[in-house]
Amino acid sequence: MCVVFRCEQRVNQIQNVSDLFFLQRVFEELKRNYEKEYKKYRLWDIAVPVLHNHIKQHLSIHWNILHGNHDHDYELIDLFSKWREVLEDDSIDLTNESGIPSKETMDPYHRLVWDVWMPFLRNAIFEWNPREPDHLIDFLERWLINLPGWIVDNILDHLIYPVLQREVDQWNPLTDSVPIHSWLHPWLPLMKDRLEPLYQPIRTKLAQALQNWQPSDSSAKAVLLPWQKVFKQGTWDAFMNKHIVPKLVTLMQQFIIDPRQQNLEPWNWFISWQDMVPLPSTIAILEKTFFPKWLQVCISDTRDSNK
């Protein structure tokens, strides 16, 4: 077949990325015009070893995952996208208990990503500072459309999550000047529920930090507020009721109502939590600590005015 001859000839002439684009078009023509023969004789095997070798060499010289040139990255994304059309085989069953298909069952495109692309990502994550998430997130979002689902799962579960977990373990809310939500929350769109196991140790550390906290210190609200929509509602309410509400109760028990010389600062400290503390808890505090004193003052003032 003359097309096969052209493939073999072009394989031996590869010099740069442009040649890989040209070779892809040759294989695309081969797959389109001779689909049965293409699959039966695994004609992609002509290109795969050379393709792996040349892409690996190119990436090792020109590719910087965390601080690279986006234009170059888009060229590589385009290259992988075009080769995916040629190499990916939808008929292969990729189900596997470990989540990683064996080399025998992995289709050619998946092998390209796993054997050539993934090692570079692993090395980058090994050197990555988890408190600087943006570059890595941007990189993954650019590549996501060209990554098989099981590889995305492997990246998030076995590469990203362990790094975040170690960083959460080392985080101290009392001494750390960088808010944890600033480097953890950017992962929410990609990680979603995968971050859920990290929330309990975070709540434990926040609770410890709140032991000596007083409502006059507004910094606690700044630390907690970003988590209000992240924690499940029931969990959030329970945390507020256990670690914030008792301090607010004490605050309002000590609050003095004096219309002649009223100090409103404690009231302002209390009311600043109204959007974070469960409404029933806020109402209960007012009913038990504020309104009885307020009513008593009103009655006393009425008596004085009638004298």
Side-chain angles (χ1 to χ4, degrees):
M1 296 169 63
C2 63
V3 178
V4 174
F5 174 75
R6 286 171 57 199
C7 290
E8 293 177 333
Q9 187 180 42
R10 194 66 190 188
V11 161
N12 295 325
Q13 297 174 351
I14 291 177
Q15 298 293 328
N16 51 46
V17 172
S18 297
D19 291 330
L20 293 177
F21 276 103
F22 180 85
L23 182 64
Q24 183 275 336
R25 291 195 294 272
V26 174
F27 271 82
E28 185 177 36
E29 179 185 343
L30 188 65
K31 183 178 181 180
R32 181 174 60 251
N33 296 333
Y34 307 97
E35 185 174 0
K36 290 183 180 179
E37 294 84 352
Y38 183 85
K39 291 185 177 181
K40 180 177 180 180
Y41 298 109
R42 297 174 57 89
L43 295 181
W44 56 75
D45 286 341
I46 300 173
V48 165
V50 176
L51 181 64
H52 281 215
N53 185 46
H54 280 271
I55 291 183
K56 191 178 296 183
Q57 289 180 8
H58 180 79
L59 296 182
S60 64
I61 297 172
H62 302 286
W63 206 33
N64 187 324
I65 288 178
L66 297 180
H67 305 289
N69 184 299
H70 284 195
D71 291 338
H72 179 252
D73 209 31
Y74 285 123
E75 181 186 38
L76 289 172
I77 290 170
D78 187 38
L79 178 66
F80 272 71
S81 176
K82 292 185 182 304
W83 274 103
R84 184 176 194 173
E85 297 172 4
V86 173
L87 297 178
E88 194 166 45
D89 187 351
D90 295 335
S91 66
I92 295 178
D93 183 7
L94 296 172
T95 56
N96 188 295
E97 290 183 0
S98 68
I100 302 176
S102 65
K103 291 292 181 67
E104 292 75 22
T105 61
M106 200 180 296
D107 83 4
Y109 178 74
H110 291 214
R111 283 195 61 187
L112 173 65
V113 177
W114 183 255
D115 290 344
V116 177
W117 186 89
M118 277 289 285
F120 288 92
L121 179 63
R122 292 191 195 98
N123 290 335
I125 291 176
F126 180 76
E127 300 174 355
W128 166 59
N129 179 359
R131 304 212 174 192
E132 299 176 358
D134 293 344
H135 288 299
L136 184 55
I137 291 173
D138 289 345
F139 169 83
L140 291 175
E141 288 178 339
R142 287 196 302 272
W143 277 90
L144 209 57
I145 192 172
N146 285 322
L147 300 180
W150 67 270
I151 289 182
V152 175
D153 291 340
N154 184 271
I155 293 170
L156 299 180
D157 291 334
H158 300 289
L159 297 182
I160 303 298
Y161 180 84
V163 176
L164 296 178
Q165 184 179 41
R166 286 195 296 271
E167 200 66 20
V168 168
D169 290 342
Q170 296 173 9
W171 171 67
N172 184 335
L174 291 175
T175 60
D176 206 319
S177 60
V178 180
I180 188 172
H181 70 270
S182 68
W183 50 265
L184 194 59
H185 287 190
W187 285 104
L188 282 168
L190 282 175
M191 298 289 285
K192 297 183 173 65
D193 291 342
R194 285 180 168 91
L195 294 179
E196 189 71 33
L198 300 179
Y199 297 158
Q200 182 53 53
I202 288 172
R203 286 192 293 269
T204 298
K205 292 189 177 190
L206 289 173
Q208 292 170 349
L210 287 168
Q211 286 180 354
N212 296 319
W213 170 78
Q214 295 300 323
S216 58
D217 180 2
S218 62
S219 63
K221 185 178 179 182
V223 172
L224 293 175
L225 184 60
W227 295 96
Q228 185 171 6
K229 300 301 181 181
V230 175
F231 295 159
K232 294 178 180 177
Q233 188 63 53
T235 302
W236 172 262
D237 289 349
F239 185 90
M240 289 288 105
N241 284 331
K242 184 174 182 180
H243 301 289
I244 299 298
V245 167
K247 300 291 183 75
L248 297 180
V249 169
T250 301
L251 172 69
M252 294 309 291
Q253 285 174 338
Q254 297 172 351
F255 180 54
I256 298 174
I257 299 178
D258 184 358
R260 296 171 182 81
Q261 195 174 1
Q262 185 64 61
N263 178 12
L264 287 175
E265 273 195 333
W267 172 259
N268 293 332
W269 299 335
F270 167 77
I271 209 65
S272 68
W273 287 91
Q274 64 173 330
D275 294 333
M276 297 174 67
V277 168
L279 181 59
S281 299
T282 301
I283 293 173
I285 295 173
L286 292 172
E287 286 181 341
K288 293 178 181 179
T289 65
F290 175 78
F291 286 123
K293 288 188 287 187
W294 177 77
L295 182 60
Q296 186 177 5
V297 169
C298 289
I299 294 173
S300 176
D301 285 351
T302 301
R303 288 174 179 172
D304 290 342
S305 63
N306 290 333
K307 286 181 180 180

